[in-house]
């Protein structure tokens, strides 16, 4: 059972470039979310989804887009990368029941130069 | 919006001592409170959680207490060991909206032999 898989693990972008961080889960979880982790700031919610076709903004959504066309996949798009988006990005998934564990992917370390 | 505050940001203890990490939350509709442990370079993993209808929960050397009136919850680690050294995150999930999971800023725990 693969769980939550993120690709790539590492990425360097130039300012202004675009890219998509991939996230896939094989646990049939309805709820998926993206967080960014910066030193001293914990895990901040970027976007989340409660099912295919339904997404909403989290705490820090600016500069990021998401879509959810299938239950398994929840890609995060950076339209025009900025140095402030240098961070470690984590995808997480869980059942929609509010009292269940969220499982995290292994993370993507993104550097924008 | 929802907010979770976590203290202290760093904690240093001697092996065998106890460690306590405290969190407060702002949304009175929050009813699920997980704690995650993140070792260096790895993904966050759930270590214990508590639901709003329970005041305390214990799992071996780890315990969590919840005070809904004061809107705060705490993680207690007894008989600490060097392998407990990690970053610990508290989180809260609300019944409002789509049950977003909001994290605190994290506590870096160092256990010295």
């Amino acid at each position: 059972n693969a769980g939550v898989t993120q690709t790539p693990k590492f990425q360097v972008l130039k300012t202004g470039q675009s890219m998509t961080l991939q996230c896939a889960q094989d646990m049939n979880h309805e709820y998926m979310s993206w967080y960014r982790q910066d030193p001293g700031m914990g895990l901040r919610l970027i976007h989340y989804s409660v099912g295919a076709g339904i997404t909403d903004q989290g705490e820090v959504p600016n500069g990021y887009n998401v879509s959810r066309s299938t239950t398994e996949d929840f890609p995060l798009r950076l339209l025009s990368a900025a140095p402030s988006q240098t961070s470690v990005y984590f995808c997480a998934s869980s059942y929609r029941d509010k009292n269940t564990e969220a499982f995290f992917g292994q993370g993507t370390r993104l550097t924008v130069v | 919006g929802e907010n979770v505050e976590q203290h202290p940001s760093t904690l240093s203890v001697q092996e065998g001592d106890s460690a306590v990490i405290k969190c407060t939350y702002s949304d009175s509709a929050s009813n699920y409170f997980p704690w995650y442990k993140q070792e260096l370079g790895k993904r966050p993993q759930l270590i214990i959680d508590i639901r709003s209808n329970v005041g305390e929960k214990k799992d071996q050397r780890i315990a969590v207490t919840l005070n809904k009136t004061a809107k705060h919850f705490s993680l207690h680690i007894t008989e600490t060991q060097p392998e407990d050294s990690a970053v610990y995150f508290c989180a809260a999930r609300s019944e409002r909206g789509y049950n977003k999971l909001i994290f605190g800023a994290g506590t870096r725990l160092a256990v010295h032999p």
Side-chain angles (χ1 to χ4, degrees):
Chain A
N1 194 344
V4 181
T5 302
Q6 289 182 236
T7 55
K9 291 184 179 179
F10 302 94
Q11 182 70 50
V12 179
L13 287 179
K14 293 182 178 179
T15 297
Q17 285 186 317
S18 63
M19 80 158 295
T20 299
L21 307 185
Q22 301 292 344
C23 176
Q25 53 91 9
D26 61 0
M27 297 175 281
N28 204 30
H29 286 165
E30 302 93 343
Y31 193 97
M32 296 185 74
S33 53
W34 277 101
Y35 292 87
R36 60 176 290 173
Q37 183 174 25
D38 303 293
M41 303 190 76
L43 295 156
R44 292 184 292 168
L45 182 64
I46 304 172
H47 286 285
Y48 62 101
S49 169
V50 297
I54 305 172
T55 64
D56 203 355
Q57 296 180 350
E59 303 168 279
V60 288
N62 292 341
Y64 308 94
N65 280 352
V66 292
S67 60
R68 183 95 179 270
S69 56
T70 67
T71 299
E72 295 79 17
D73 300 298
F74 190 44
L76 178 72
R77 284 184 289 275
L78 285 72
L79 300 179
S80 179
S84 61
Q85 294 179 305
T86 293
S87 188
V88 179
Y89 291 85
F90 285 98
C91 177
S93 74
S94 66
Y95 290 113
R96 186 168 180 173
D97 183 321
K98 54 185 177 291
N99 292 334
T100 58
E101 177 180 357
F103 292 86
F104 284 82
Q106 75 272 37
T108 296
R109 183 173 294 276
L110 176 67
T111 302
V112 182
V113 297
Chain B
E2 304 91 335
N3 185 51
V4 178
E5 293 190 358
Q6 182 172 347
H7 301 279
S9 57
T10 60
L11 182 58
S12 182
V13 300
Q14 290 298 122
E15 182 177 1
D17 288 349
S18 295
V20 179
I21 303 170
K22 298 182 179 181
C23 290
T24 59
Y25 59 96
S26 61
D27 188 348
S28 58
S30 297
N31 58 5
Y32 175 65
F33 308 92
W35 287 87
Y36 283 79
K37 176 183 180 182
Q38 185 181 31
E39 297 176 346
L40 188 63
K42 297 191 176 180
R43 73 190 78 189
Q45 293 192 299
L46 181 74
I47 56 171
I48 194 168
D49 57 15
I50 191 167
R51 291 155 179 78
S52 60
N53 58 346
V54 176
E56 183 174 358
K57 182 177 179 180
K58 188 174 181 180
D59 182 4
Q60 298 183 339
R61 296 186 297 108
I62 295 173
V64 58
T65 58
L66 171 65
N67 183 328
K68 283 215 73 179
T69 302
K71 291 193 285 187
H72 68 70
F73 56 113
S74 300
L75 177 71
H76 305 253
I77 306 174
T78 59
E79 300 173 23
T80 53
Q81 301 167 3
E83 52 265 39
D84 293 330
S85 296
V87 178
Y88 292 81
F89 293 98
C90 64
R93 175 171 277 160
S94 174
E95 288 185 317
R96 300 185 208 275
Y98 286 132
N99 302 322
K100 292 183 289 186
L101 188 62
I102 303 298
F103 284 83
T107 297
R108 183 173 299 278
L109 173 65
V111 181
H112 302 285

